[in-house]
Amino acid sequence: MEDGRSRVNVHSILTSVSSRPFGAVKTYPLTQLGHAMGRHTIHLIFYYEKSPLGSFDVDPMRESLSEVLSLYPLATGRLTRDGAGNWEVKCNDAGVRVLRARVGVTLDEWLRSANGSEERDLTVWEDMPESPTIGVSCTHMHADSTSLALLLKAWSEANRRQPIAYLPSFHPPTPQPPSTNIETKSTNYLAAKSQAHTPPVKMATATFKFSDSTIKQCISRIHDKCPHANPFDLLAALFSTRILHLKGPKNYRKHSLSVCVDFRRLLQEPLPYGYFGNALYFSLLSINAEEIECGDLGRMAELVHCHVSGLKEEEFWSALHWLESQKEGGKYAPPFTMYGPELTCVSMEHMIVGDQSVMYSAIFDSARPVHVSCHVGNVEGEGLILVMPSAEGLARTVTVTLPEEEIAKLCKDQAILCLEPEVLFCGKV
């Protein structure tokens, strides 16, 4: 970035519409969880070493996008309010914006030199809370990162004239009847979260890429303390411990972490993997100060593993029931900060299907992504740790969002750097 000017230069704005009209106008109400996510946005960036289709002829790309958008009426519609004031999508085939831009550097140079703010320029997002639009960036009210990744994968499959692996589904989970005990951990946690007020702080981001061999070695080293550890257990433990050390004992926020998992496959009757919407569950993991101070990575990984593996379906449903119960006069309560105020760890382990990362199977022509970035907009409080699959085996990418003054310290943390990660986009959001 020179003189504060972005190196991303948008030179045309197009609109892609469905190749087959949806038909009679229909509306889809956004879910209670979608409404709760209203403060946040989702941004996905797929990097390729060469332009899809070689010379990047935009017409075939737009044609295949139009084909796949025929399957996604919620993506091509527009947000409106219903009679009670709740958000719904009017499926009117309005289409999606496609922005073409140029970056005057090579991919290698970009990955070496760009910061988090410049990377966000690639998504060309403008915060318009009363009139959101959808693209590679979208409001979190519409969908989560899994939904966007599968839309991009479907686009790549349509472009190669292959069957869509995960057809979209728009039927939200139907909560089971509420239990007699509504005072669950989930409801208490959401109630506290909805009342939390966090002063605005400038945030910054950094991305750490760990190799397959490094993760295998680390998991092997903690096997005696956490015999069933997966990469998320390891990396959530590592980064949360280092960040909490960095913040200092007075800022441990009662030694708790917010853990976010996808529940599509965790239900007794699983949601379709292609469900287009929000299927995220946030829970609170309490940690003794001694666990943080001693820095035993294996022990911390075991705490994370036991917490995630011990989640109960009843808690998922109680969270949805609580959000539904907050309606007044038929209108959902205002959204609140879901990614905060506690330090939040997000697992994307569900994006590994078989032995393949779903995100890295978005192949255009013969080009696979060499890197995929994911960002959540409007993170507040202690920060966010997002653990994503990478292209190879157990390799993982960790994107961390923290208050600005803490990122520079984290990027120099020797407990992390000794694992020899590739560090990208270390700078302000």
Side-chain angles (χ1 to χ4, degrees), residues 189-203:
Y189 179 44
L190 286 175
K193 187 186 285 286
S194 69
Q195 297 301 314
H197 296 285
T198 306
V201 176
K202 287 185 178 181
M203 306 297 276

PDB file of all heavy atoms in Angstrom, residues 189-203:
ATOM      1  N   TYR A 189     -25.799 -18.282  28.771  1.00  0.00           N
ATOM      2  CA  TYR A 189     -24.673 -17.661  28.066  1.00  0.00           C
ATOM      3  C   TYR A 189     -25.161 -16.638  27.054  1.00  0.00           C
ATOM      4  O   TYR A 189     -24.636 -15.519  26.973  1.00  0.00           O
ATOM      5  CB  TYR A 189     -23.847 -18.749  27.383  1.00  0.00           C
ATOM      6  CG  TYR A 189     -22.674 -18.224  26.595  1.00  0.00           C
ATOM      7  CD1 TYR A 189     -21.855 -17.230  27.111  1.00  0.00           C
ATOM      8  CD2 TYR A 189     -22.377 -18.733  25.336  1.00  0.00           C
ATOM      9  CE1 TYR A 189     -20.765 -16.745  26.391  1.00  0.00           C
ATOM     10  CE2 TYR A 189     -21.292 -18.257  24.613  1.00  0.00           C
ATOM     11  CZ  TYR A 189     -20.498 -17.267  25.136  1.00  0.00           C
ATOM     12  OH  TYR A 189     -19.427 -16.790  24.428  1.00  0.00           O
ATOM     13  N   LEU A 190     -26.179 -16.986  26.276  1.00  0.00           N
ATOM     14  CA  LEU A 190     -26.691 -16.044  25.285  1.00  0.00           C
ATOM     15  C   LEU A 190     -27.296 -14.814  25.950  1.00  0.00           C
ATOM     16  O   LEU A 190     -27.161 -13.689  25.445  1.00  0.00           O
ATOM     17  CB  LEU A 190     -27.723 -16.725  24.392  1.00  0.00           C
ATOM     18  CG  LEU A 190     -27.182 -17.705  23.357  1.00  0.00           C
ATOM     19  CD1 LEU A 190     -28.331 -18.387  22.624  1.00  0.00           C
ATOM     20  CD2 LEU A 190     -26.263 -17.008  22.366  1.00  0.00           C
ATOM     21  N   ALA A 191     -27.986 -15.017  27.074  1.00  0.00           N
ATOM     22  CA  ALA A 191     -28.572 -13.879  27.784  1.00  0.00           C
ATOM     23  C   ALA A 191     -27.474 -12.914  28.238  1.00  0.00           C
ATOM     24  O   ALA A 191     -27.605 -11.691  28.094  1.00  0.00           O
ATOM     25  CB  ALA A 191     -29.382 -14.368  28.981  1.00  0.00           C
ATOM     26  N   ALA A 192     -26.387 -13.461  28.773  1.00  0.00           N
ATOM     27  CA  ALA A 192     -25.281 -12.608  29.215  1.00  0.00           C
ATOM     28  C   ALA A 192     -24.618 -11.922  28.019  1.00  0.00           C
ATOM     29  O   ALA A 192     -24.285 -10.728  28.069  1.00  0.00           O
ATOM     30  CB  ALA A 192     -24.256 -13.442  29.983  1.00  0.00           C
ATOM     31  N   LYS A 193     -24.444 -12.657  26.938  1.00  0.00           N
ATOM     32  CA  LYS A 193     -23.812 -12.097  25.739  1.00  0.00           C
ATOM     33  C   LYS A 193     -24.652 -10.948  25.173  1.00  0.00           C
ATOM     34  O   LYS A 193     -24.113  -9.935  24.722  1.00  0.00           O
ATOM     35  CB  LYS A 193     -23.645 -13.209  24.696  1.00  0.00           C
ATOM     36  CG  LYS A 193     -22.858 -12.794  23.468  1.00  0.00           C
ATOM     37  CD  LYS A 193     -22.884 -13.922  22.428  1.00  0.00           C
ATOM     38  CE  LYS A 193     -21.993 -15.076  22.776  1.00  0.00           C
ATOM     39  NZ  LYS A 193     -20.548 -14.744  22.578  1.00  0.00           N
ATOM     40  N   SER A 194     -25.972 -11.116  25.186  1.00  0.00           N
ATOM     41  CA  SER A 194     -26.848 -10.094  24.607  1.00  0.00           C
ATOM     42  C   SER A 194     -26.827  -8.795  25.397  1.00  0.00           C
ATOM     43  O   SER A 194     -27.188  -7.735  24.870  1.00  0.00           O
ATOM     44  CB  SER A 194     -28.291 -10.617  24.521  1.00  0.00           C
ATOM     45  OG  SER A 194     -28.855 -10.762  25.818  1.00  0.00           O
ATOM     46  N   GLN A 195     -26.413  -8.865  26.666  1.00  0.00           N
ATOM     47  CA  GLN A 195     -26.379  -7.673  27.509  1.00  0.00           C
ATOM     48  C   GLN A 195     -24.993  -7.059  27.615  1.00  0.00           C
ATOM     49  O   GLN A 195     -24.813  -6.001  28.217  1.00  0.00           O
ATOM     50  CB  GLN A 195     -26.875  -8.026  28.924  1.00  0.00           C
ATOM     51  CG  GLN A 195     -28.321  -8.504  28.974  1.00  0.00           C
ATOM     52  CD  GLN A 195     -29.293  -7.463  28.436  1.00  0.00           C
ATOM     53  OE1 GLN A 195     -29.199  -6.291  28.782  1.00  0.00           O
ATOM     54  NE2 GLN A 195     -30.231  -7.890  27.604  1.00  0.00           N
ATOM     55  N   ALA A 196     -23.995  -7.739  27.040  1.00  0.00           N
ATOM     56  CA  ALA A 196     -22.617  -7.258  27.172  1.00  0.00           C
ATOM     57  C   ALA A 196     -22.400  -6.023  26.314  1.00  0.00           C
ATOM     58  O   ALA A 196     -22.914  -5.922  25.195  1.00  0.00           O
ATOM     59  CB  ALA A 196     -21.644  -8.363  26.762  1.00  0.00           C
ATOM     60  N   HIS A 197     -21.645  -5.091  26.855  1.00  0.00           N
ATOM     61  CA  HIS A 197     -21.305  -3.868  26.121  1.00  0.00           C
ATOM     62  C   HIS A 197     -19.780  -3.749  26.088  1.00  0.00           C
ATOM     63  O   HIS A 197     -19.137  -3.661  27.132  1.00  0.00           O
ATOM     64  CB  HIS A 197     -21.928  -2.638  26.786  1.00  0.00           C
ATOM     65  CG  HIS A 197     -23.423  -2.656  26.779  1.00  0.00           C
ATOM     66  ND1 HIS A 197     -24.176  -2.391  25.648  1.00  0.00           N
ATOM     67  CD2 HIS A 197     -24.315  -2.941  27.761  1.00  0.00           C
ATOM     68  CE1 HIS A 197     -25.463  -2.488  25.934  1.00  0.00           C
ATOM     69  NE2 HIS A 197     -25.578  -2.826  27.216  1.00  0.00           N
ATOM     70  N   THR A 198     -19.229  -3.760  24.898  1.00  0.00           N
ATOM     71  CA  THR A 198     -17.784  -3.723  24.733  1.00  0.00           C
ATOM     72  C   THR A 198     -17.384  -2.409  24.074  1.00  0.00           C
ATOM     73  O   THR A 198     -17.907  -2.067  23.007  1.00  0.00           O
ATOM     74  CB  THR A 198     -17.315  -4.895  23.847  1.00  0.00           C
ATOM     75  OG1 THR A 198     -17.811  -6.112  24.396  1.00  0.00           O
ATOM     76  CG2 THR A 198     -15.806  -4.946  23.776  1.00  0.00           C
ATOM     77  N   PRO A 199     -16.476  -1.663  24.679  1.00  0.00           N
ATOM     78  CA  PRO A 199     -16.047  -0.407  24.046  1.00  0.00           C
ATOM     79  C   PRO A 199     -15.369  -0.689  22.715  1.00  0.00           C
ATOM     80  O   PRO A 199     -14.642  -1.678  22.574  1.00  0.00           O
ATOM     81  CB  PRO A 199     -15.064   0.176  25.064  1.00  0.00           C
ATOM     82  CG  PRO A 199     -14.630  -0.977  25.907  1.00  0.00           C
ATOM     83  CD  PRO A 199     -15.794  -1.912  25.954  1.00  0.00           C
ATOM     84  N   PRO A 200     -15.614   0.146  21.713  1.00  0.00           N
ATOM     85  CA  PRO A 200     -15.003  -0.083  20.397  1.00  0.00           C
ATOM     86  C   PRO A 200     -13.486   0.039  20.458  1.00  0.00           C
ATOM     87  O   PRO A 200     -12.945   0.941  21.098  1.00  0.00           O
ATOM     88  CB  PRO A 200     -15.626   1.006  19.521  1.00  0.00           C
ATOM     89  CG  PRO A 200     -16.072   2.066  20.487  1.00  0.00           C
ATOM     90  CD  PRO A 200     -16.450   1.357  21.743  1.00  0.00           C
ATOM     91  N   VAL A 201     -12.812  -0.899  19.809  1.00  0.00           N
ATOM     92  CA  VAL A 201     -11.352  -0.916  19.767  1.00  0.00           C
ATOM     93  C   VAL A 201     -10.929  -1.185  18.332  1.00  0.00           C
ATOM     94  O   VAL A 201     -11.564  -1.983  17.629  1.00  0.00           O
ATOM     95  CB  VAL A 201     -10.788  -2.026  20.700  1.00  0.00           C
ATOM     96  CG1 VAL A 201      -9.274  -2.102  20.577  1.00  0.00           C
ATOM     97  CG2 VAL A 201     -11.184  -1.773  22.148  1.00  0.00           C
ATOM     98  N   LYS A 202      -9.870  -0.538  17.868  1.00  0.00           N
ATOM     99  CA  LYS A 202      -9.350  -0.832  16.542  1.00  0.00           C
ATOM    100  C   LYS A 202      -8.777  -2.237  16.522  1.00  0.00           C
ATOM    101  O   LYS A 202      -7.956  -2.583  17.360  1.00  0.00           O
ATOM    102  CB  LYS A 202      -8.274   0.183  16.159  1.00  0.00           C
ATOM    103  CG  LYS A 202      -8.806   1.557  15.821  1.00  0.00           C
ATOM    104  CD  LYS A 202      -7.690   2.466  15.323  1.00  0.00           C
ATOM    105  CE  LYS A 202      -8.241   3.836  14.924  1.00  0.00           C
ATOM    106  NZ  LYS A 202      -7.153   4.720  14.419  1.00  0.00           N
ATOM    107  N   MET A 203      -9.240  -3.031  15.568  1.00  0.00           N
ATOM    108  CA  MET A 203      -8.801  -4.420  15.476  1.00  0.00           C
ATOM    109  C   MET A 203      -7.812  -4.600  14.330  1.00  0.00           C
ATOM    110  O   MET A 203      -7.792  -3.825  13.372  1.00  0.00           O
ATOM    111  CB  MET A 203     -10.005  -5.340  15.282  1.00  0.00           C
ATOM    112  CG  MET A 203     -11.102  -5.196  16.317  1.00  0.00           C
ATOM    113  SD  MET A 203     -10.595  -5.613  18.001  1.00  0.00           S
ATOM    114  CE  MET A 203     -10.804  -7.406  17.968  1.00  0.00           C
TER     115      MET A 203
END
